[in-house]
Amino acid sequence: MCGDPTKPEAQARYHPGTSANGWFTDPDNIAFDPAGRMYVCTDGPPDAGFNDALYVLDTEGPGRALPKLFYSPPRGSECSSPCFTPDGRTMFLSVQHPGEDSETLEAVTTRWPDFRDGVPPRPSVIVIRRTDGGPIGS
């Protein structure tokens, strides 16, 4: 039910309020936060012209099924396995295979997560929190 909403052959169905940055392709894994919001990680949209990413969707109310871009990992990598603490104030997210699209280690497309010359890219687990300490996604 996802894909480019401007292409009828995709048969994509989205909330009418979906923005140009809200639609996605290739859903790969999901998680739900303690408030019931759904988080969808993608795997494959670089063919569509944009990065893999994490989208959040409400599951109830007027925003039900309205995808919103939440996080985008470095170009050519994939985010996966979102996981929340029970209070919903912290999210753990894996960043997989950064720089995999590089031709050589000397000419990598990213040096995630260190961003230092001579240091190769590597997968990592990141932590996402709000600066005000509130629940993620609220």
Side-chain angles (χ1 to χ4, degrees), residues 2 14 24 27 30 45 57 69 88-89 97 117 119 125 129 133:
C2 61
Y14 291 98
F24 56 89
I30 65 172
L57 301 89
L69 177 62
R89 296 178 188 277
H97 51 77
D117 288 342
V119 177
V125 174
R129 293 184 297 183

Coordinates of all heavy atoms in Angstrom, one line a residue, residues 2 14 24 27 30 45 57 69 88-89 97 117 119 125 129 133:
C2 N 2.2 1.1 -0.1 CA 3.0 2.3 -0.1 C 3.7 2.4 -1.5 O 3.5 1.5 -2.4 CB 4.1 2.2 1.0 SG 5.2 0.8 0.9
Y14 N -2.4 6.6 0.8 CA -1.9 7.4 2.0 C -3.0 8.3 2.5 O -4.0 8.5 1.8 CB -0.8 8.3 1.6 CG 0.5 7.5 1.2 CD1 0.8 7.2 -0.1 CD2 1.3 7.1 2.2 CE1 2.0 6.6 -0.4 CE2 2.5 6.4 1.9 CZ 2.8 6.1 0.6 OH 4.0 5.4 0.3
F24 N 6.7 6.8 1.5 CA 7.8 5.9 1.5 C 7.6 4.6 0.7 O 6.5 4.3 0.3 CB 8.2 5.6 3.0 CG 7.2 4.9 3.8 CD1 7.0 3.5 3.8 CD2 6.3 5.7 4.6 CE1 6.0 2.9 4.5 CE2 5.3 5.1 5.3 CZ 5.2 3.7 5.3
P27 N 8.9 -0.8 3.1 CA 8.9 -1.0 4.6 C 9.6 -2.3 5.0 O 9.4 -3.3 4.3 CB 7.4 -1.0 4.9 CG 6.7 -1.4 3.6 CD 7.6 -0.9 2.5
I30 N 8.9 -2.6 11.9 CA 8.2 -1.6 12.6 C 8.3 -1.8 14.1 O 8.7 -2.9 14.6 CB 6.7 -1.7 12.2 CG1 6.0 -3.0 12.6 CG2 6.4 -1.5 10.7 CD1 4.5 -3.1 12.5
P45 N 14.6 2.4 -0.6 CA 14.2 3.6 -1.4 C 15.3 4.4 -2.1 O 15.0 5.2 -2.9 CB 13.5 4.5 -0.4 CG 13.8 4.0 0.9 CD 14.3 2.6 0.8
L57 N 3.8 7.1 12.4 CA 2.4 7.3 12.0 C 1.5 7.1 13.3 O 1.7 6.2 14.0 CB 1.9 6.2 11.0 CG 2.6 6.2 9.7 CD1 3.9 5.3 9.7 CD2 1.7 5.7 8.6
L69 N 8.2 11.8 8.2 CA 9.6 11.5 8.3 C 10.1 11.8 9.6 O 10.0 13.0 10.1 CB 10.4 12.3 7.2 CG 11.9 12.0 7.2 CD1 12.2 10.6 6.9 CD2 12.5 13.0 6.1
G88 N 8.9 5.6 27.0 CA 8.8 6.2 25.7 C 9.7 7.4 25.6 O 9.6 8.2 24.6
R89 N 10.6 7.7 26.5 CA 11.5 8.9 26.4 C 12.8 8.6 25.7 O 13.5 9.6 25.4 CB 11.7 9.4 27.8 CG 10.4 9.9 28.5 CD 10.7 10.4 29.9 NE 9.4 10.6 30.6 CZ 8.7 11.7 30.4 NH1 9.1 12.7 29.7 NH2 7.6 11.9 31.1
H97 N 25.2 -0.8 7.6 CA 26.0 -0.8 6.4 C 26.2 0.6 5.9 O 26.0 0.9 4.7 CB 25.5 -1.7 5.4 CG 24.1 -1.7 5.0 ND1 23.5 -0.7 4.2 CD2 23.0 -2.5 5.3 CE1 22.2 -0.9 4.1 NE2 21.9 -2.0 4.7
D117 N 38.8 11.5 9.0 CA 39.6 10.9 7.9 C 40.4 9.7 8.4 O 40.9 9.7 9.5 CB 40.6 12.0 7.4 CG 40.0 13.1 6.6 OD1 38.8 12.9 6.1 OD2 40.6 14.2 6.4
V119 N 39.2 6.9 9.2 CA 38.4 6.0 10.0 C 37.3 5.5 9.1 O 36.5 6.3 8.6 CB 37.9 6.7 11.2 CG1 37.0 5.7 12.0 CG2 39.0 7.2 12.1
V125 N 24.6 1.7 16.9 CA 23.3 1.9 17.5 C 23.3 3.3 18.1 O 24.2 3.8 18.7 CB 23.1 0.9 18.7 CG1 21.8 1.2 19.4 CG2 23.1 -0.5 18.1
R129 N 16.6 11.0 21.9 CA 15.9 11.6 23.0 C 15.5 13.0 22.7 O 16.2 13.7 21.9 CB 16.7 11.6 24.3 CG 17.0 10.2 24.8 CD 17.8 10.2 26.1 NE 19.0 10.9 25.9 CZ 20.0 11.0 26.8 NH1 19.8 10.6 28.0 NH2 21.1 11.7 26.5
G133 N 13.3 16.2 27.4 CA 13.0 15.0 28.2 C 11.6 14.4 28.0 O 11.3 13.4 28.7

